[in-house]
Amino acid sequence: MQLWQYYRILRKYQLLILIGTVICVGTVGLFAYLSPSRWEASTTILDKSMKGKDISLFAQQYMQSALDPRFRMSSIGTLITSRTVLERSAETLWRLNITADPVEILRTLDVTPVEDSGLIRIRVESDSPKTAKATTDVVTAEFIRFYNELNSSNAYSTRDFIKKNLPRAKDQLSKTQEALRKFEESDNAIMLPSQTQLHLQEMSQYQTALSGQDVAAKQAAARVQGLEKQLKDTPGIRVASTVIASNPVWQSLQSELMQREIDMQTMLKDRTPEHPDVKALAKRIDETQKRMQQVGSSILNSTTKAADPTHDAMFQQYVGSMIDNASANAAKSAIQAQVANLGNELNTLPKKEMKLAQLTLDAESAKNTYVLLAQKMDEATLKVQESKNDSDIQVVDQSVVLPVSNRGVLKILLALILSPILCGGIAFLLEYLDNTIKTPKDAEKLLGIPVFGAIPFAKSHMLSDSKVPASLGISYDMLSTNLDLDKPALHGNSILVASSEPNVGRSVTAANLAIKMASDGMSVILVDSDLRMPVQHALFGVENDKGLTNVLAGQLPLKDAFIKTSNPDLRLLTSGPLPGNPIRLLRSESMAKLVNEIGDLADIVIFDSPSGIVFADSVLLASLIKNVLVVYAAGSVPRGTEAEFASQLQRVDANVLGSVLNGVEPKISHGSYHFRNAYKDFMPNGKSKAALTASSAGQIQADAKGKDNGTDGSRGNLS
């Protein structure tokens, strides 16, 4: 497609492009104006663990020193946007009378790690500055709390377990001491021998150890149960950052090349370049260099998957807790075996001594268990407090609220730039989808016959009108000239103006062609043979009370049926009163006789006809007149009637001279375009183009007649 065609399409759809641009820009501007104000609250937190050599997401150190810091920061960002943090944040905001949905928080939440700094910016947008600040603060606080919980999960679970079992141990201690006291105060109280007391001390030590292992096993079991639940909610595998590495094959070849070059330098110290060993080594160096060029030092990109640090930390704790549980249960079983052996020895004592020994042992075991739990409670409380006071996450900047620009000016500028491009693309799409006939080239391809004239569209379409544009007359000059040049192919001097479809400007074309030829000095007869819907009398402003039908019916001689027009060289034969059966008249011998006789009365005879695809009149007239000029309307969609009409004309052996493309856009009509742009000022001032054309034609005709001494100098042009 040439540039002028692009320009034509843009000019054709310029109103569409303008309206589309105005609508797009107006919509963007209105949206920017009506958009509610947005506020952004931001805060910055620091991951202090980035300062150390080991990169550990939680308190546990489990071989993460090789982990990429960028991956760690990405993992922390994932943890901030986790479901647990968002749900806790929504619950806290609800308690603050701020309605927030976790999905909505995630939509407005932006977590941006600052590379190689350990800093993470947390931003939240909202329609309210209060909501934005509160959401930012709550999300940050809930993340830190959740982070610390993950790091100190062992301490929390141990504390909760001991806190739950310590009152039971205290109650058990009171019961055993009370039972021992009552037994000792009874009348039957006795004293245990020293050997038995030593035996009880040993039993007490084993019981204390057994209680400690039992507590450890239950603590581990509690941790395992809690971690199992957390592992279900945490994904185990995630895609890590893309690994970028040099081609290992190329690196190997490079090392090999360096080694061989060193060997070459060593060999040249005591040998000449022509030595066979030197030549062989040089050949191997060349081969290595060629292989390096083939392999290339391209970078290999590969996406790797790695365990999510959150899940990995929980899993390590889970495995450790299971190991602790198994170890405690194994030690517990061994101690229970020792206690059972010692218990068998106590069973050999007398009944009262055995009772006293059992009560003493129970009281001592309960005391040791209580003391052990109390010590562990203090240790667990201290660890929890340490985890709270020594967190790896620290808030650097408190949240700050700032208004968010809606970038209305930028959006409008982008709309101004992109809207014409978009609308232009739509215009080209419409043009591509448009299958109407627009140019003479399209008409020639459709009809298979040459286009004799491309008539531009004009508001005033009759050449007899003083307001008619000059370009219209120029187009009919081209049509009449092409007909004159095609006179060797004519069968007689009569031409039928026909069309396959109605309402294509056929009758106007016939009238204007007659006017143009008459103004050129020819003797012209225009016959309105459209006996269905005649319009020639209306175009010339005459009566239709007599005409062709009267002649064919034998009611009027042919010479008396002509009507004079404003041009003496143009005579009009109107249709006359419409008959009930037009086909019968057109098929009669009178019609054939009229066609043969009327050609002798003028230089050129032009017949108008009805639609050829609707009525058989045009085909019947074509069989009599032979010469046919087909009229087609530009801008119409091909419906297949053209090929059907052409087939009918071919069947009656009609001589189809060419076609006329009617109603062409002036921008597409090359002749009209160049006439308006290059020759618009060629005429003298004070005269219209139509008037000048008519007066010039009349003067030329008069001069021609004068030179011929009264003879008709125009006769014979098309005869």
Side-chain angles (χ1 to χ4, degrees):
M1 187 178 289
Q2 300 178 359
L3 291 177
W4 70 267
Q5 292 176 313
Y6 288 113
Y7 174 74
R8 176 187 62 80
I9 295 174
L10 294 177
R11 286 290 302 272
K12 177 181 178 181
Y13 294 98
Q14 60 182 352
L15 183 60
L16 171 65
I17 296 174
L18 179 61
I19 294 176
T21 302
V22 171
I23 292 175
C24 291
V25 175
T27 302
V28 171
L30 183 63
F31 178 78
Y33 176 76
L34 297 178
S35 297
S37 300
R38 300 286 293 177
W39 299 84
E40 179 187 85
S42 62
T43 185
T44 305
I45 60 176
L46 172 65
D47 180 15
K48 295 187 294 184
S49 65
M50 293 289 290
K51 298 179 181 179
K53 295 182 180 179
D54 290 333
I55 304 170
S56 173
L57 182 60
F58 305 114
Q60 299 266 352
Q61 298 291 333
Y62 54 97
M63 302 300 292
Q64 285 190 329
S65 58
L67 199 61
D68 189 354
R70 290 174 295 180
F71 182 54
R72 169 183 167 76
M73 299 302 293
S74 176
S75 300
I76 292 178
T78 304
L79 191 62
I80 296 174
T81 58
S82 64
R83 187 178 66 180
T84 302
V85 173
L86 296 179
E87 288 179 351
R88 290 183 179 182
S89 300
E91 184 178 354
T92 304
L93 289 171
W94 180 79
R95 288 198 297 267
L96 296 175
N97 295 326
I98 297 177
T99 303
D101 181 67
V103 177
E104 182 65 20
I105 295 176
L106 181 62
R107 190 183 67 83
T108 61
L109 179 64
D110 177 52
V111 180
T112 307
V114 180
E115 188 173 0
D116 300 330
S117 67
L119 295 174
I120 299 178
R121 294 193 182 95
I122 302 175
R123 289 191 285 260
V124 174
E125 282 191 20
S126 177
D127 297 336
S128 168
K130 177 183 177 182
T131 303
K133 178 176 175 56
T135 304
T136 303
D137 293 339
V138 169
V139 169
T140 303
E142 292 297 338
F143 160 66
I144 294 176
R145 184 164 70 91
F146 183 52
Y147 182 94
N148 293 335
E149 287 178 4
L150 291 175
N151 279 312
S152 58
S153 58
N154 288 341
Y156 276 99
S157 59
T158 301
R159 186 197 65 176
D160 294 340
F161 174 79
I162 296 174
K163 188 177 181 180
K164 180 180 179 181
N165 288 274
L166 189 60
R168 298 177 184 175
K170 185 177 181 180
D171 184 60
Q172 183 66 22
L173 175 61
S174 300
K175 289 181 179 179
T176 56
Q177 288 179 343
E178 180 65 20
L180 179 60
R181 185 185 62 80
K182 288 182 178 180
F183 185 82
E184 290 177 342
E185 292 178 354
S186 65
D187 295 337
N188 299 325
I190 60 172
M191 296 295 294
L192 292 174
S194 58
Q195 184 65 29
T196 303
Q197 291 181 358
L198 292 175
H199 193 71
L200 288 177
Q201 289 179 1
E202 186 179 2
M203 285 278 294
S204 177
Q205 292 175 358
Y206 278 112
Q207 288 282 9
T208 302
L210 181 61
S211 299
Q213 294 301 328
D214 184 57
V215 171
K218 291 181 178 179
Q219 288 176 355
R223 292 198 301 269
V224 168
Q225 185 178 2
L227 289 169
E228 283 180 348
K229 182 179 180 182
Q230 293 180 0
L231 285 172
K232 291 181 181 179
D233 299 333
T234 307
I237 300 297
R238 59 173 297 176
V239 177
S241 302
T242 302
V243 176
I244 302 176
S246 299
N247 192 332
V249 178
W250 187 86
Q251 287 183 336
S252 176
L253 292 173
Q254 186 183 35
S255 301
E256 182 180 347
L257 178 63
M258 292 176 63
Q259 183 62 42
R260 288 181 177 178
E261 288 179 346
I262 293 173
D263 295 342
M264 176 65 74
Q265 296 297 327
T266 304
M267 191 177 295
L268 289 174
K269 290 181 180 180
D270 54 357
R271 299 178 188 180
T272 63
E274 301 299 327
H275 193 279
D277 293 341
V278 175
K279 288 184 177 181
L281 183 58
K283 184 178 180 180
R284 288 195 296 269
I285 291 175
D286 292 339
E287 291 176 353
T288 304
Q289 290 176 343
K290 290 180 180 179
R291 289 186 61 192
M292 290 178 65
Q293 291 178 356
Q294 293 175 355
V295 174
S297 59
S298 59
I299 301 299
L300 300 177
N301 296 334
S302 61
T303 302
T304 60
K305 293 185 178 180
D308 187 282
T310 306
H311 184 278
D312 199 6
M314 293 180 184
F315 185 74
Q316 293 292 333
Q317 295 175 11
Y318 174 75
V319 173
S321 299
M322 290 187 67
I323 293 174
D324 293 342
N325 186 24
S327 300
N329 285 325
K332 181 179 174 182
S333 298
I335 295 173
Q336 284 176 341
Q338 294 294 332
V339 170
N341 292 332
L342 293 174
N344 292 332
E345 295 180 7
L346 290 177
N347 292 332
T348 61
L349 296 174
K351 187 174 181 181
K352 288 186 178 181
E353 291 182 2
M354 185 177 64
K355 179 65 174 178
L356 178 59
Q358 187 64 48
L359 292 175
T360 303
L361 181 61
D362 291 343
E364 189 67 22
S365 298
K367 177 182 178 181
N368 293 336
T369 301
Y370 177 75
V371 172
L372 177 64
L373 289 176
Q375 291 176 351
K376 288 186 173 292
M377 183 64 184
D378 294 339
E379 293 174 1
T381 303
L382 181 60
K383 288 183 179 180
V384 170
Q385 192 63 35
E386 288 177 353
S387 64
K388 290 182 178 179
N389 298 333
D390 190 22
S391 175
D392 288 338
I393 304 299
Q394 178 181 349
V395 177
V396 178
D397 296 328
Q398 297 297 326
S399 59
V400 178
V401 182
L402 295 174
V404 179
S405 173
N406 60 1
R407 299 180 181 178
V409 177
L410 178 61
K411 292 177 181 177
I412 293 175
L413 289 177
L414 289 176
L416 283 172
I417 296 173
L418 298 178
S419 295
I421 298 176
L422 175 62
C423 295
I426 295 175
F428 283 109
L429 178 62
L430 293 175
E431 185 70 15
Y432 175 77
L433 297 176
D434 185 9
N435 63 340
T436 59
I437 302 302
K438 297 177 282 293
T439 64
K441 183 178 179 180
D442 298 336
E444 290 181 356
K445 183 178 179 181
L446 173 68
L447 303 174
I449 53 178
V451 176
F452 279 5
I455 311 302
F457 174 81
K459 294 181 180 179
S460 181
H461 49 267
M462 285 296 294
L463 292 179
S464 58
D465 191 346
S466 60
K467 297 180 180 180
V468 69
S471 59
L472 196 66
I474 298 298
S475 300
Y476 278 102
D477 279 339
M478 183 67 70
L479 174 59
S480 63
T481 301
N482 286 329
L483 286 173
D484 185 63
L485 294 174
D486 204 42
K487 63 184 178 181
L490 294 178
H491 298 290
N493 62 343
S494 298
I495 298 175
L496 175 67
V497 179
S499 68
S500 60
E501 296 185 357
N503 304 321
V504 296
R506 177 194 60 255
S507 298
V508 174
T509 300
N512 283 336
L513 180 61
I515 294 173
K516 172 54 66 177
M517 287 184 167
S519 66
D520 290 341
M522 297 183 186
S523 175
V524 182
I525 295 176
L526 176 60
V527 181
D528 192 352
S529 54
D530 184 357
L531 304 183
R532 306 287 181 174
M533 192 180 294
V535 295
Q536 293 296 343
H537 64 280
L539 295 177
F540 284 92
V542 297
E543 297 293 333
N544 192 27
D545 52 351
K546 61 179 181 178
L548 177 61
T549 54
N550 301 105
V551 175
L552 296 179
Q555 301 172 355
L556 186 69
L558 177 60
K559 294 183 179 181
D560 296 339
F562 294 122
I563 299 176
K564 296 182 179 181
T565 63
S566 58
N567 191 323
D569 290 330
L570 175 60
R571 288 170 288 174
L572 174 63
L573 178 60
T574 61
S575 64
L578 298 182
N581 190 350
I583 288 294
R584 182 177 180 182
L585 284 178
L586 296 177
R587 195 181 293 167
S588 64
E589 294 182 0
S590 301
M591 184 62 191
K593 181 180 178 181
L594 182 144
V595 171
N596 292 328
E597 292 179 355
I598 200 170
D600 298 331
L601 303 179
D603 295 331
I604 187 73
V605 180
I606 299 174
F607 286 83
D608 190 12
S609 63
S611 169
I613 202 64
V614 180
F615 304 106
D617 303 29
S618 296
V619 178
L620 183 59
L621 290 170
S623 65
L624 299 174
I625 301 170
K626 296 302 182 182
N627 302 314
V628 179
L629 185 66
V630 180
V631 179
Y632 192 82
S636 59
V637 179
R639 299 182 178 88
T641 58
E642 301 78 16
E644 184 179 346
F645 184 55
S647 176
Q648 294 177 359
L649 294 177
Q650 185 178 4
R651 189 167 60 252
V652 298
D653 198 21
N655 179 27
V656 181
L657 304 174
S659 63
V660 178
L661 187 60
N662 208 1
V664 179
E665 293 185 19
K667 301 172 186 176
I668 301 177
S669 176
H670 297 172
S672 175
Y673 172 80
H674 292 295
F675 176 80
R676 288 185 291 106
N677 287 273
Y679 297 98
K680 60 182 179 181
D681 298 327
F682 81 100
M683 293 176 295
N685 295 329
K687 289 186 177 182
S688 67
K689 297 177 183 179
L692 181 62
T693 302
S695 62
S696 299
Q699 184 64 39
I700 292 173
Q701 180 182 0
D703 293 343
K705 288 184 178 181
K707 289 180 181 180
D708 289 345
N709 295 323
T711 61
D712 188 357
S714 64
R715 185 174 296 277
N717 286 352
L718 280 177
S719 59

